[in-house]
Amino acid sequence: MGDIKVRGKKEDEDEKAEVDIWNYVFGYVKIEVVKCAIELGIADAIDKHGSPMTLSQLTTTLKCEPPRLYRIMRFLVHYQIFKEEPVTQDSFGFALTPLSRRLIRHGERSMAAFILLESSPVMLAPWHSLSARVLDSGNSPFETAHGKDVWSYAEENPRHSKLIDEAMACDARVAVRALIEGCPQVFDGIKSLVDVGGGNGTALSMLVKEFPWMHGINFDLPHVVAVAPKVDGIEYVGGDMFECVPKADAAFFLWVLHDWDDEECIQILKKCREAIPQDKGKVIIVEAVLEEDKNDKLEFVGLMLDMVMMAHTKKGKERTLKEWKYVLGEAGFTRINVKPIHAVQFIIEAYI
């Protein structure tokens, strides 16, 4: 009986492998079809219509060729990105799901810009050099593909820079809302906050609106700050965080430090330590913490991000709590608090 059980388990594993391998053979298909849906504006059209749309209505609205659009919708329905609902007794229409609502370009929880960034030719090209990166400590895959690092490329290509800012704003809307709802006390007593690497200011705008007693400073590279939408209550400062950080009660980072290696992080954090009050100042870091919560349904995202860092940056990485303690300790921070929120990231508070 024991042999039969073992043999049955191995057969189940082999059967699962036969299915799973096809997800790797054609793994790129899902993101490319979802990208197609975003570019066509399928979710936006159904949302604007206000009710399920028939194939005929969709093809008219989107000016698409019906048989091809049907094949796209069949795929998206199969993966439950959209769903079919009856429109009349004899016909059905395509309706939004919670997932496809996140594909609406200007939706409250939209991730459309993030998908468009990661599926863009610029960001996909470096993946072809990932194995070379593992074998060699030379240029990053991004540099191999484009001849310069991601920041230099963005500075010289405004469209790509705008896409990065819009993608980061997608995550900011999710992460900052989770921070406000889950840990609002983090901002108690803070009268001024500098968002280091604040991009287009989405995160800081949300924080200043929620905590109106705070003066916000959006600090980023000059070419980023120059095109950031201006918001009351926020000061815009261009500069280099490796050289100087504007003074404030607290420094705030959202998905910034993972772009850099330990020594670079320590250098940035030391500049923050110089910018905040020695007695009550702190640094607030919103980043993934690997291996911290095995029950976290989003843990896999941190592992994926770590691969993204390997492909798109020279030395960036996601960190475990032990690694975060190391860089913060080396930068002169003696006490930290780590708190989970309903997002990919955790909240790390670091005090001098």
Side-chain angles (χ1 to χ4, degrees):
M1 290 295 290
D3 289 343
I4 293 174
K5 287 182 179 178
V6 170
R7 202 160 46 243
K9 181 180 179 183
K10 288 181 178 178
E11 289 172 354
D12 289 344
E13 289 175 346
D14 193 56
E15 187 175 318
K16 182 177 183 297
E18 285 185 2
V19 174
D20 288 348
I21 194 63
W22 288 106
N23 279 316
Y24 293 98
V25 172
F26 293 117
Y28 63 90
V29 174
K30 287 183 186 179
I31 189 172
E32 292 302 335
V33 176
V34 169
K35 176 185 180 180
C36 171
I38 294 170
E39 292 176 336
L40 292 175
I42 296 172
D44 300 87
I46 297 173
D47 180 60
K48 185 176 181 180
H49 187 72
S51 60
M53 296 181 73
T54 64
L55 181 66
S56 175
Q57 289 172 322
L58 265 180
T59 54
T60 300
T61 300
L62 302 177
K63 298 179 173 59
C64 290
E65 203 269 339
R68 291 175 189 158
L69 182 60
Y70 170 73
R71 290 160 64 189
I72 292 291
M73 295 308 298
R74 178 174 61 186
F75 182 94
L76 294 169
V77 169
H78 174 80
Y79 285 102
Q80 300 179 349
I81 298 169
F82 292 87
K83 62 183 178 180
E84 293 177 337
E85 289 187 354
V87 175
T88 66
Q89 189 173 357
D90 302 317
S91 66
F92 66 88
F94 298 105
L96 295 173
T97 66
L99 184 53
S100 54
R101 288 191 180 280
R102 286 161 172 78
L103 305 182
I104 298 171
R105 289 237 187 196
H106 300 292
E108 184 180 349
R109 304 184 71 181
S110 174
M111 293 293 278
F114 214 147
I115 293 171
L116 292 177
L117 172 68
E118 296 300 337
S119 62
S120 68
V122 172
M123 300 307 260
L124 287 178
W127 290 101
H128 297 292
S129 301
L130 186 62
S131 58
R133 175 59 169 160
V134 177
L135 292 167
D136 181 27
S137 59
N139 289 338
S140 70
F142 192 96
E143 290 174 285
T144 300
H146 302 295
K148 58 197 69 177
D149 66 38
V150 64
W151 315 119
S152 300
Y153 185 91
E155 185 173 5
E156 295 178 12
N157 294 270
R159 285 184 63 184
H160 188 68
S161 180
K162 185 172 184 289
L163 190 54
I164 290 175
D165 287 341
E166 290 174 348
M168 294 304 98
C170 283
D171 177 70
R173 282 187 284 270
V174 175
V176 173
R177 185 178 298 108
L179 170 56
I180 290 170
E181 292 174 357
C183 299
Q185 68 276 9
V186 166
F187 300 96
D188 289 350
I190 296 177
K191 294 182 179 179
S192 57
L193 181 74
V194 55
D195 186 354
V196 184
N200 67 6
T202 297
L204 194 57
S205 298
M206 293 175 68
L207 291 172
V208 169
K209 182 179 180 180
E210 184 69 23
F211 309 111
W213 62 82
M214 282 197 316
H215 171 67
I217 304 169
N218 187 21
F219 179 61
D220 211 314
L221 294 169
H223 75 273
V224 175
V225 172
V227 296
K230 302 304 181 282
V231 175
D232 290 341
I234 295 179
E235 178 184 354
Y236 297 82
V237 179
D240 185 341
M241 63 187 173
F242 288 99
E243 296 178 0
C244 181
V245 172
K247 293 189 179 299
D249 289 342
F252 180 83
F253 290 93
L254 172 59
W255 264 2
V256 171
L257 295 175
H258 69 173
D259 293 326
W260 309 97
D261 71 8
D262 288 352
E263 292 307 310
E264 291 165 327
C265 276
I266 291 166
Q267 185 180 347
I268 295 166
L269 289 165
K270 283 182 176 179
K271 293 300 178 183
C272 289
R273 194 186 67 190
E274 296 171 3
I276 62 177
Q278 299 298 302
D279 55 344
K280 61 178 181 178
K282 67 178 177 179
V283 171
I284 303 165
I285 300 168
V286 186
E287 292 262 12
V289 180
L290 299 183
E291 302 174 8
E292 188 59 18
D293 184 358
K294 293 299 183 182
N295 295 318
D296 183 4
K297 292 180 180 179
L298 294 174
E299 182 189 20
F300 76 97
V301 184
L303 297 173
M304 286 189 170
L305 277 167
D306 191 45
M307 296 297 97
V308 172
M309 292 301 104
M310 193 182 297
H312 291 163
T313 70
K314 189 164 187 177
K315 298 179 181 178
K317 63 179 182 178
E318 300 303 325
R319 292 177 168 85
T320 63
L321 181 56
K322 182 179 179 180
E323 290 170 321
W324 279 117
K325 286 180 177 179
Y326 170 75
V327 295
L328 287 164
E330 290 295 305
F333 292 88
T334 60
R335 181 167 60 93
I336 72 169
N337 293 328
V338 180
K339 302 171 184 176
I341 56 173
H342 192 60
V344 172
Q345 304 92 330
F346 287 66
I347 305 303
I348 305 171
E349 296 175 276
Y351 300 85
I352 299 173

